[in-house]
Amino acid sequence: MKEKIQRIYLGHQKKFRFLIAGIVNTAVGLATYPALYLALHPNGLGYVEILIIAQVICITFSFASNKYFVFKSKGNLKHEYIKFFSFH
């Protein structure tokens, strides 16, 4: 049974890494805005400004997890980031 699981994992590594990254990115996305709101709203920042900051943080985190964990890309960081950010 263990060998069968290993064979399945080895055949679908990228899909498993993509699933894990998706779960972690979702958790980060759900936690970022409330955490920033609790930290920054008492200091006078409005919800729209906090939402923009949260969006930039979440997109950047998603980019890093996809680039380095899922796809293990060795491409141009600046070019790939701009492309990823503009898509999202």
Side-chain angles (χ1 to χ4, degrees):
M1 182 68 168
K2 186 177 178 181
E3 293 172 8
K4 187 175 183 179
I5 292 171
Q6 280 182 324
R7 210 170 349 111
I8 291 170
Y9 174 74
L10 291 174
H12 301 281
Q13 279 183 332
K14 192 180 288 186
K15 292 175 187 171
F16 283 116
R17 289 193 312 259
F18 193 76
L19 178 65
I20 292 166
I23 292 168
V24 173
N25 287 336
T26 300
V28 168
L30 290 172
T32 301
Y33 178 76
L36 287 175
Y37 186 83
L38 291 173
L40 300 176
H41 186 67
N43 296 327
L45 245 58
Y47 74 94
V48 174
E49 290 87 2
I50 296 170
L51 185 60
I52 291 169
I53 295 167
Q55 189 74 9
V56 170
I57 290 170
C58 291
I59 291 172
T60 303
F61 183 82
S62 179
F63 169 75
S65 67
N66 279 295
K67 178 174 177 60
Y68 297 112
F69 178 67
V70 177
F71 300 109
K72 300 180 180 187
S73 171
K74 304 273 193 255
N76 184 319
L77 178 69
K78 183 178 176 182
H79 175 73
E80 288 181 354
Y81 180 75
I82 290 170
K83 200 175 192 181
F84 189 88
F85 195 88
S86 65
F87 176 77
H88 284 84

